[in-house]
Amino acid sequence: MPEGKLLTFIKELSVLLEQKPSEEIIFTKGKKLLETLIAIDDWLPTEFTKPHPQYYQQYLLYADPLDRFSIVSFVWGPGQKTPIHNHTVWGMIGQLRGEEKGTPYYPQAGGGFKIGKACVCPPGHVDTVSPNTHDIHVVENNLADQTSISIHVYGGNIGRIHRSVFDPINGTPKSFVSGYANTLVPNLWNPAQ
Amino acid sequence: MPEGKLLTFIKELSVLLEQKPSEEIIFTKGKKLLETLIAIDDWLPTEFTKPHPQYYQQYLLYADPLDRFSIVSFVWGPGQKTPIHNHTVWGMIGQLRGEEKGTPYYPQAGGGFKIGKACVCPPGHVDTVSPNTHDIHVVENNLADQTSISIHVYGGNIGRIHRSVFDPINGTPKSFVSGYANTLVPNLWNPAQ
Ligand SMILES: [Fe+3]
Ligand SMILES: [Fe+3]
Ligand SMILES: [Mg+2]
């Protein structure tokens, strides 16, 4: 059996991150690895593609036991949208299926936000976030009649990190931990079809 | 939520193995970690405790993406027994539930085996195998009316390694890859109850 695409990605990312690369390297070499992973949409087990009627879903696919990185399948039903939120670690968002819109929010001195230019992401596109450059955004499904799925990679265990959602009017942060929807993750060496 | 016992074990084993310890250290410090994991039998999700009517089951719980170690739940129905087999990497076998009998086989110059002294393992007991000392054995459920479960830890991805089963009469090896019964493994940060 040939090695699965997700396992190949995790191996190559592990090797890259063991070199303790700069964020610039992560967002070039690491980004290329993620682009390769999402270039062909035939590897994500059905279990991790299911939308929830009310909420966008965050299915953990793999996390490093020592919290060096995590990989999550985000699944958005029609109309689903995040609050304004941050990440506190580097992140790469790779569009696998459908289309998502990411809108950056820039905190303003007097409170509140300046809303940046939205990016509409087609399959194959990788976007980045980082506390060093711009870490606050809103993401939503850009399709009214279809599920959209993106594969997110973070420089920490994103579902366990204490981070913030923000009030859109006055910018007040509120602490949250996103968690995961799933109690089981893929067996990378015996993936379901 | 307190950290799960399996996650704690994997973190501590990862930190230990990153120091590239000798086998002696693995079989002392690593063994202690496994003894702590199996000391209380309340953490293995039901999914990974199920016997098969015909075959002993090997459920992957976690494997390092770079093949540095793997952790497997072995589940034995009454009367189930392995062939004579080797591992080719270090291994620790921690009894979680029930009782297993491990019998070492020593290859003889003229072919065939000398059968060693069997070890009957009660819950909490950890046994070891290693290509540097003794790597060939048979394991079987020692209970005629009950499932037995042991948690195995190996210095490689045991389900993917090309290793051998042996003919009991003439000792002839036959190559095999054991694989895994499960397509999903535990989410260590959101375990099922
Ligand atoms: Fe985000
Ligand atoms: Fe064995
Ligand atoms: Mg390492």
Side-chain angles (χ1 to χ4, degrees):
Chain A
M1 196 181 71
E3 185 173 286
K5 292 185 178 76
L6 180 58
L7 175 57
T8 300
F9 172 70
I10 292 170
K11 283 184 171 186
E12 292 178 349
L13 185 68
S14 297
V15 169
L16 177 66
L17 294 180
E18 292 224 337
Q19 298 158 30
K20 306 208 188 297
S22 66
E23 198 167 279
E24 195 187 331
I25 296 290
I26 293 168
F27 286 166
T28 49
K29 291 189 180 174
K31 190 179 177 194
K32 271 220 172 62
L33 298 178
L34 182 54
E35 284 168 349
T36 301
L37 176 66
I38 61 170
I40 302 173
D41 176 17
D42 67 351
W43 56 268
L44 185 64
T46 317
E47 185 113 10
F48 308 105
T49 65
K50 291 186 178 146
H52 182 278
Q54 283 180 279
Y55 314 105
Y56 65 95
Q57 292 294 81
Q58 296 161 72
Y59 298 109
L60 180 68
L61 297 180
Y62 179 79
D64 174 66
L66 298 181
D67 292 344
R68 289 169 289 204
F69 68 97
S70 58
I71 304 169
V72 182
S73 171
F74 275 65
V75 180
W76 319 76
Q80 291 175 358
K81 179 179 184 164
T82 69
I84 305 169
H85 67 276
N86 70 1
H87 312 84
T88 79
V89 292
W90 62 259
M92 299 192 287
I93 300 156
Q95 196 69 34
L96 183 71
R97 207 172 287 180
E99 194 175 88
E100 289 165 23
K101 186 163 86 176
T103 307
Y105 278 64
Y106 301 101
Q108 300 301 294
F113 293 99
K114 185 174 161 234
I115 300 178
K117 194 176 148 18
C119 166
V120 172
C121 302
H125 181 92
V126 174
D127 226 340
T128 62
V129 290
S130 161
N132 300 321
T133 51
H134 132 256
D135 192 33
I136 303 178
H137 68 172
V138 165
V139 182
E140 63 201 288
N141 193 343
N142 200 47
L143 303 177
D145 57 351
Q146 213 178 298
T147 296
S148 290
I149 301 177
S150 49
I151 304 301
H152 296 214
V153 184
Y154 297 97
N157 191 315
I158 195 68
R160 302 289 295 160
I161 290 174
H162 290 256
R163 47 195 179 118
S164 302
V165 293
F166 300 91
D167 182 283
I169 306 302
N170 55 30
T172 306
K174 199 179 131 187
S175 179
F176 87 114
V177 173
S178 55
Y180 296 115
N182 53 321
T183 60
L184 298 170
V185 304
N187 180 343
L188 301 170
W189 296 272
N190 189 29
Q193 291 318 303
Chain B
M1 196 180 69
E3 186 172 286
K5 291 185 178 76
L6 181 57
L7 175 57
T8 300
F9 172 72
I10 292 171
K11 282 183 174 186
E12 291 178 351
L13 184 68
S14 298
V15 169
L16 177 66
L17 294 180
E18 292 225 337
Q19 296 157 32
K20 305 206 188 303
S22 66
E23 198 167 277
E24 196 188 330
I25 296 291
I26 293 168
F27 286 166
T28 50
K29 292 189 180 175
K31 191 180 176 192
K32 272 219 171 62
L33 298 178
L34 182 54
E35 284 167 350
T36 301
L37 176 65
I38 62 171
I40 302 172
D41 176 18
D42 67 351
W43 55 268
L44 185 64
T46 316
E47 186 114 9
F48 309 104
T49 65
K50 294 190 174 140
H52 181 277
Q54 283 180 279
Y55 314 105
Y56 64 95
Q57 292 293 81
Q58 299 161 70
Y59 297 110
L60 180 68
L61 297 179
Y62 178 79
D64 173 66
L66 298 181
D67 292 343
R68 290 170 290 204
F69 68 97
S70 58
I71 304 168
V72 182
S73 171
F74 274 65
V75 181
W76 318 77
Q80 292 176 357
K81 179 179 185 161
T82 69
I84 306 170
H85 67 276
N86 71 0
H87 311 83
T88 77
V89 292
W90 61 259
M92 299 192 287
I93 300 157
Q95 196 70 33
L96 184 71
R97 207 172 288 181
E99 194 175 87
E100 288 166 23
K101 185 163 87 174
T103 308
Y105 278 64
Y106 301 102
Q108 298 302 293
F113 293 100
K114 186 175 161 231
I115 300 178
K117 195 177 147 24
C119 166
V120 172
C121 302
H125 182 92
V126 174
D127 226 339
T128 61
V129 290
S130 160
N132 300 320
T133 51
H134 133 256
D135 191 33
I136 302 178
H137 69 172
V138 165
V139 183
E140 63 202 289
N141 194 343
N142 200 46
L143 302 176
D145 57 352
Q146 213 179 297
T147 297
S148 290
I149 301 176
S150 48
I151 305 300
H152 296 215
V153 183
Y154 297 98
N157 191 315
I158 196 66
R160 302 289 295 161
I161 289 174
H162 291 256
R163 47 196 179 118
S164 302
V165 293
F166 300 91
D167 182 283
I169 305 301
N170 55 31
T172 307
K174 200 178 130 188
S175 178
F176 88 113
V177 173
S178 55
Y180 296 113
N182 53 322
T183 59
L184 298 169
V185 304
N187 180 343
L188 300 170
W189 297 270
N190 189 30
Q193 293 316 305

